[in-house]
Amino acid sequence: MQKTLFRRVRTAVDRVGLLANLRADFAASLVVFLIAVPLSVGIAVASGVPVELGLVTGIVGGLLTGLLPGSSMQVSGPAAGLTVLVYEAVREYGLRALGVLVLTAGLLQVAMGLLKLGRWFRAISVAVVQGMLAGIGIVLIAGQLYALADADAPAGALEKLGGLVTLLTDTLASADSLAALAVGVGTVAVLVLWPRWQWGARLVPAPLAAVALAMTAVGLLRLPVDRVRVRGLFDAVQPPWSGDFARLTEFGVLGTVLAFALIASAETLFSAAAVDRLHDGPRTDYNKELIAQGAGNTVCGVLGALPMTAVIVRSSANVSAGARTKASRVLHGVWLLVFATLLPWALELIPVAALAGVLVHAGWKLLPGRELGPLWRDHRGEVAVLVTTTVAIVVTNLFEGVIVGLLLAIVKAAWETSHVHIETTTTRDGRVRARVLGNANFLRLPRLLDELDALYRAGDQRAGRGVERGVELDLTGLRHMDRAVHTALSGWAERHGSLRDGDGNGDGEATGRVVAV
């Protein structure tokens, strides 16, 4: 009797908890959906693809990736972090090749997850990631400044930056461009100011409010600005053909696939680490999350859509809105699907300049702000890696810039871990014993050899005053020595290893010898 009563009470409690979770997840899913619409459309426009493909990626991120294990609170979709790379890939290889690129990158992510490589992405230097985001932000802002004025942007990042003066003069000379600029700047202003109105921010997300106000202003004032063009969700889907996979034999295509997979994975797992700090629920399983993202990107590739990552903007909004389970992110995908199929005409009311304003604001948030000052005071080497990565991305491209940043971070780590110094003592017969201590690698070799040469020259000066000269090199205090150091020090000892005795016969002791290695 008591057991039966206990089961009934527990069942009732579970039902109440389930209903409470469902209500919370339902409300959170609506908030995430309202944020996802303008961001998905804006990222698609900035990537140079039909706007529907951004919504397709958001739908897959909700309905498929949202159901898979990994992270419970993260929300996936097209991200601003890959906009620049996608734009360059579409311009270089064509829209037909996008599906192949995304599909192959997704399979690579699945393979990395199955091989349990997810945790290794946490080993990437934070400075490189910050530099990557800053570089993406600069290139994104530079390109969207043209869209703010309904102007065509140049192809390369440097060309975009170099053409800003011409853009300004052309905009000031055109009434239509000034109208578009006013819409875009107004959108940015709403995005900045809206969160300060706490009641309004709780009721309507800032991106939705900004785009809705821009649509209203353009409609009421009948401003001559460009608007989003829609051709239908199913018409935009372009699955890759078998012939498209032949592009994978091209070196540039393989490099783009690798960039998609690595950058999407790194952005996702760094986002997971940030989101885990925002809630008290289950922690992210990095390998399972990598498999889930790979599965989502594989499906997006089959549909010819944009690549997906976990998006920190949507994920943090999901947690802030009170989501409790993964049901919220699945429902957000349902709302995107309903909107894209039943209300596509609503997208044609959105001004392109308003979406550009949303992305300019998103790009600005990618730039390092207040944390740059403390970082400069405490870790100037990290700032050097960050700035170098950023500049390299702007000057070259995203993939090459990240490689440059990673190489510099490795060199910096090797330099900082190779602490080596020389302790000197003078024996009774006047010789100098140089004991090398610490960890020695090739980066410290020039300075090490300079110090040893200085000691030997000092011995020459003492020999001129009648003191026996010589430097005895002792390596027993080295905890680590790479081959370059070993070869160089052995050579130094051989060059300085003979000591002539008083009669000049050259049979003296080899005071430059290596005592122990």
Side-chain angles (χ1 to χ4, degrees):
M1 181 69 179
Q2 291 179 347
K3 291 182 178 179
T4 302
L5 180 62
F6 176 75
R7 290 195 193 99
R8 290 178 179 177
V9 171
R10 186 174 63 181
T11 301
V13 171
D14 290 342
R15 288 177 179 175
V16 171
L18 180 63
L19 291 175
N21 288 343
L22 184 59
R23 284 195 296 268
D25 290 333
F26 181 84
S29 70
L30 290 175
V31 173
V32 178
F33 159 71
L34 294 176
I35 293 175
V37 171
L39 285 178
S40 298
V41 173
I43 290 169
V45 172
S47 301
V49 304
V51 297
E52 297 85 357
L53 295 183
L55 294 173
V56 170
T57 299
I59 293 169
V60 175
L63 298 183
L64 176 61
T65 308
L67 281 172
L68 295 176
S71 174
S72 59
M73 294 290 108
Q74 259 195 156
V75 183
S76 300
L82 287 172
T83 299
V84 177
L85 191 58
V86 172
Y87 179 85
E88 294 295 331
V90 171
R91 184 176 63 87
E92 181 74 19
Y93 308 114
L95 184 58
R96 294 288 317 180
L98 180 61
V100 174
L101 298 174
V102 177
L103 188 154
T104 310
L107 293 176
L108 184 57
Q109 285 182 294
V110 172
M112 290 189 294
L114 292 175
L115 293 173
K116 301 187 183 303
L117 299 180
R119 63 189 182 91
W120 287 102
F121 282 90
R122 291 181 289 178
I124 297 178
S125 168
V126 176
V128 174
V129 176
Q130 289 178 323
M132 178 188 74
L133 295 177
I136 291 170
I138 291 173
V139 177
L140 182 62
I141 292 171
Q144 293 308 303
L145 288 176
Y146 291 85
L148 282 178
D150 284 347
D152 295 328
L158 292 178
E159 288 79 3
K160 290 182 176 72
L161 293 171
L164 291 179
V165 175
T166 303
L167 173 66
L168 178 60
T169 56
D170 292 344
T171 301
L172 294 176
S174 171
D176 291 350
S177 296
L178 286 174
L181 181 62
V183 172
V185 172
T187 302
V188 175
V190 172
L191 288 169
V192 173
L193 298 176
W194 189 265
R196 300 182 182 182
W197 184 27
Q198 296 182 358
W199 183 85
R202 288 196 299 268
L203 186 63
V204 181
L208 179 66
V211 173
L213 290 173
M215 291 168 57
T216 303
V218 169
L220 292 177
L221 301 176
R222 297 182 179 180
L223 298 177
V225 299
D226 291 342
R227 304 193 189 197
V228 173
R229 295 182 178 88
V230 179
R231 65 181 187 182
L233 185 66
F234 298 104
D235 294 335
V237 172
Q238 297 185 16
W241 296 346
S242 57
D244 296 328
F245 288 91
R247 304 296 300 269
L248 292 174
T249 59
E250 301 177 23
F251 179 77
V253 171
L254 290 176
T256 303
V257 167
L258 185 62
F260 274 1
L262 294 181
I263 295 172
S265 301
E267 187 172 343
T268 292
L269 298 183
F270 275 108
S271 173
V275 174
D276 282 347
R277 291 194 291 267
L278 300 177
H279 67 89
D280 298 326
R283 305 293 93 178
T284 299
D285 185 314
Y286 286 90
N287 294 315
K288 290 182 179 179
E289 180 65 14
L290 196 54
I291 294 173
Q293 293 293 324
N297 272 320
T298 301
V299 173
C300 286
V302 171
L303 299 176
L306 290 172
M308 76 163 59
T309 68
V311 187
I312 187 63
V313 176
R314 302 181 198 185
S315 303
S316 59
N318 188 41
V319 175
S320 300
R324 298 183 181 179
T325 70
K326 63 176 62 177
S328 61
R329 57 186 192 175
V330 177
L331 286 174
H332 121 274
V334 173
W335 310 142
L336 282 175
L337 178 62
V338 172
F339 178 84
T341 53
L342 300 182
L343 300 172
W345 53 267
L347 298 176
E348 295 187 339
L349 301 177
I350 301 176
V352 173
L355 295 177
V358 172
L359 290 176
V360 166
H361 183 259
W364 179 261
K365 293 173 69 174
L366 293 176
L367 303 180
R370 297 178 181 177
E371 66 271 16
L372 197 58
L375 192 63
W376 173 256
R377 289 193 299 268
D378 300 331
H379 306 283
R380 296 191 177 183
E382 292 287 296
V383 176
V385 174
L386 189 158
V387 172
T388 301
T389 305
T390 301
V391 173
I393 289 173
V394 174
V395 172
T396 58
N397 55 57
L398 187 58
F399 181 68
E400 294 177 6
V402 170
I403 295 299
V404 170
L406 287 174
L407 291 176
L408 183 59
I410 292 172
V411 171
K412 170 182 169 292
W415 175 264
E416 291 180 345
T417 56
S418 61
H419 298 288
V420 61
H421 65 281
I422 299 175
E423 288 184 353
T424 60
T425 57
T426 304
T427 63
R428 292 181 179 180
D429 55 8
R431 299 178 189 139
V432 174
R433 177 176 290 112
R435 189 163 187 255
V436 186
L437 304 171
N439 299 301
N441 60 38
F442 67 96
L443 294 174
R444 299 284 183 175
L445 190 53
R447 180 179 177 183
L448 186 59
L449 292 176
D450 287 344
E451 292 185 18
L452 291 174
D453 288 340
L455 288 174
Y456 197 80
R457 288 193 298 270
D460 283 341
Q461 294 174 2
R462 289 196 301 273
R465 297 193 295 269
V467 180
E468 185 178 8
R469 74 180 177 90
V471 176
E472 184 177 289
L473 186 60
D474 181 2
L475 306 183
T476 58
L478 279 176
R479 293 188 297 272
H480 170 75
M481 174 175 54
D482 64 16
R483 185 174 179 82
V485 175
H486 178 274
T487 302
L489 293 184
S490 298
W492 187 92
E494 291 176 1
R495 289 194 304 272
H496 304 86
S498 62
L499 176 65
R500 293 182 180 274
D501 56 14
D503 57 11
N505 291 329
D507 56 357
E509 182 183 3
T511 55
R513 71 185 185 280
V514 176
V515 175
V517 177

